[in-house]
Amino acid sequence: MGNSNDTQATTEELDRKAAKFADEVATPAKDGMSAEDLGRSKQKRDFSYTQNREVSWLRFDDRVLDEAHDKTVPLFERIKFCAIFQSNMDEWFMIRVGGLSDLAELKHQPADNKSDETPSEQLDVLFKMLPDMYKRREECLTHLEGKLADKGVERVVPADYTDADRVAVERRFESALAPILSPMIVDPRHPFPNLRNDVLYVVCSLDGEGEQGVLGVVEVPPTAQRVVWLPAGENRVRFTLVEDVITSMLDRLFGSYVPTSSAVVRVTRNADIDPDGEGVEEEEDYREHMKKVLKRRTRLQPVRMELQGELSEDLVTFVRKELSLEKRRVFRLSTPADLSYIFAIEGKIPATRKTALTFAPFEPQESPMVKAGEPMRPQVEDHDVLLCYPYEGMGPLLRLLHEAANDDDCISIKITLYRVARHSRLCESLVTAVENGKEVTVLMELRARFDEQNNIEWADRLEDAGCTVIYGSEGFKCHSKICQITYHDSRGISRITCLGTGNFNEKTARLYSDFMLLTAHPGIAEDGNAFFRNLSLGNLRGQYKFLGVAPVGLKPLVMRGIDREISRAKAGQPAQVFMKMNSLTDRDVIDRLAQASRAGVKVILIVRGICCMLPGVKGRTEGIQIRQIVGRLLEHARVYAFGSEADTIYLSSADMMTRNTERRVEICYPIIDPTCRDMVIQYMDLQLADNVKARQLTSKGTWARVGRVEGVPEINCQEVLIAVAYARARLARGIADDSVTLSPVLASLPPKVLDAVLTRSGSTGLSTSLRKIAGHPLAQQSMAAATTTTPAAQAAPAVAAPASKPAAEAEPAKDERPAKPAKGKKAANAAAAATAVEAPVPEAKPAEAAPTQVSPHYIEIDPTPTPEADEHTHEAATQLARRGHGRLGTALALFGLGFKALFGKAEK
């Protein structure tokens, strides 16, 4: 690197990082804040109910390691959680510790707005926590490897090689490794080599003629197969790692030098680099610029060294000083540093053993909202479709795009792509579409961290095929998940808009829990069209009627939703804010939630990862409950709901992190269709009912187990949702005979809960059929009750039609369940709703306009309080919305018995 220019660039980059760290970056979102909000943000912060984000993140990763210790989790799945823990830690060191290390070099360090600590102070805290976490990981991994060896899956180290093992190892070494290894020594004529980021090296102490303690280094080729299979008996798997093969053959690599001790070393380098930091040359292709950024990342400053094996302390010190690492950044291990090999073993486990060692296999099921074998376009135009990954498959979305690519009426497809599968059917459909003469526009975000190279390759391919490929605005990653298909036929122009909480990625759609909305709603379609038009012009300040779009409109929309609930609480009305997200770090949102809690708003949060807010702090956040769920699937959906009956629900691509709300292009979108809305409520109610994988955040910032009252069934919401997906798919295919048995997960649920979870908002008949399948003793009672019900449409509140049909003409969804006849005031409300005209379209104005109401379509469930509602005003908040007439909320109230100690006083 050069001198003056590079030094200047580095100084400017550090200044930008410091401003972000202290949340002092000028953004379009701040431009739109009211004077009152700006003044509040500059006031002296109250740190009594916030915690440092890095400490919170470490506690989240420690929670992941809890799954590896959980004896109820299958043995091989437990060791996979060790690998996930390690992978999380690797990325955290590269990005967060890397960034803090840069800022710690500043003479005048900023303090963050959650802990009031400087980068140096934070690093001191973190490096005090890390040794115990490494020790816990080591002990767990060693224990699990011993247990797996007893079950026939064994990792063999060189000291335990049998004669047959050594023959296999020598054969692999001579045929595949020796020809490509490049051993080197370090002495005055051979300088210390560049140890690349995240690459394994075998280092050793060598004795030669007249020399002792010479450092030898061998890079483990990243292209080499990591796992080397060894001879094994029937129904057993034995293997060793390629670095152990090299270690066992060191005496063949250094000529006359004799190795006396060795270790496997892995160096982690800072990867916190701003892709826009050095700017893009005027005539430079952005893809070429990103390639330079990726090369630079491999040469950044080391932030950690891990060492497995025995190497003299003198040589360890020598290597550490060559890497300019503090002693506290060196971690000695007794197990492999890189655990990614674990995922390669699963496919080799014999079938006779695999069943007991792994989770039961699960395949995403077809959504009951979609009819298989029928075209997707008319189905979406008839009713909104909400897919719930990975319980339901991505197939309907892929079918929709494939059909559009070959549909003469389709004239254009526009999509944002953030993380794309390496082998993507979705992208292949885009190629087919452009080859068929459609206009295809792809906003490809090349700055998706650690997916940059894959995205560059797909951008090349799509552009070569004829797609128009554009990139995100400078300084603002496009993290939105939106696709819009435009049709032109005899009826004119129409559009289908697809909006997701997660990526358009076939691989992660099988692992991450996310929502994907397919809608023909004309208002959302108009907003989607405006969104793509604004992005193509680099306009981040667009105005939208239904969508909240960051960096300008999303955060103010959420804040207005919270303010609405504060106003309700002050007026003596029931008020509630529910949020589910991956991380909560935005200080403005945290403070507003604390204000809401003090005003009497019930605040319920589910935060999977980082949570900088502390609940239960006296006089500050006593009315806030925060939960977390970590299980076999990654919780990834973002949900923002306002109202004691969740009358306003948004899904979003954004977490409540400052980077998302102010420095990215994000979208939140309202759920207007009542069936889809009920689906979201049901999903969240099940999450709140979880008493197996759920944890509760304490006022100390630690995660505590959720208690379970005796007699309340164990509810693992992810397993219930998997079982529900299978049951619904069977029913959708017309399978309802005694030859099909109900899964143990569902069969263990109370009958009324079974009624609720097996229907979306649908009929009792569905759960009746399932009870019949299971031979449930209450099946006859349920069928008798079903004959007294009437269609739910009679009592449903009026909403704007989500599809092309007017609200009065829209046909009820096929799986809507009948409701009991309404009585008294509820009947009057239902009658009024049945004759109501379409509600006016609300408008999300620019932030500076500061409208007093949140912008989506309001869905009033039961505006008139009932004695039942009054009686339970202060009841435990174990459900997102309370529903009458035996609907979901009432059924799931059964789950609430186990949580009153958490959310309220138990009934006497």
Side-chain angles (χ1 to χ4, degrees), residues 724-787:
V724 165
Y726 272 104
R728 285 174 173 160
R730 289 200 302 270
L731 286 171
R733 295 194 300 268
I735 301 175
D737 56 68
D738 295 336
S739 63
V740 183
T741 58
L742 198 64
S743 75
V745 173
L746 290 184
S748 68
L749 297 181
K752 290 184 179 179
V753 176
L754 193 63
D755 265 339
V757 300
L758 292 178
T759 58
R760 294 200 182 281
S761 62
S763 71
T764 306
L766 288 179
S767 51
T768 298
S769 299
L770 281 169
R771 279 219 196 92
K772 185 176 180 181
I773 295 172
H776 200 285
L778 298 182
Q780 292 182 348
Q781 295 179 28
S782 176
M783 285 186 286
T787 61

Side-chain angles (χ1 to χ4, degrees), residues 558 562 577-581 584 589 593 604-607 639-642 656 880:
V558 171
I562 300 173
V577 172
F578 172 90
M579 295 185 177
K580 180 184 187 297
M581 66 199 90
L584 172 61
V589 176
L593 289 172
I604 308 169
L605 308 179
I606 299 178
V607 184
V639 181
Y640 304 105
F642 306 98
M656 289 297 104
L880 186 59

Side-chain angles (χ1 to χ4, degrees), residues 337-411:
D338 180 1
L339 301 181
S340 59
Y341 70 89
I342 287 174
F343 298 98
I345 300 170
E346 185 171 358
K348 292 286 186 176
I349 300 176
T352 53
R353 295 184 180 274
K354 193 171 184 177
T355 301
L357 296 178
T358 61
F359 288 127
F362 164 64
E363 282 295 321
Q365 299 296 293
E366 188 74 17
S367 167
M369 300 190 79
V370 175
K371 294 180 180 179
E374 295 189 10
M376 283 300 304
R377 178 187 173 188
Q379 294 191 67
V380 177
E381 289 179 338
D382 179 73
H383 61 273
D384 285 2
V385 173
L386 185 65
L387 304 177
C388 182
Y389 303 152
Y391 311 106
E392 296 168 352
M394 194 178 179
L397 173 65
L398 297 176
R399 281 171 50 199
L400 177 66
L401 280 168
H402 177 74
E403 291 169 8
N406 295 281
D407 186 347
D408 291 339
D409 290 341
C410 173
I411 59 175

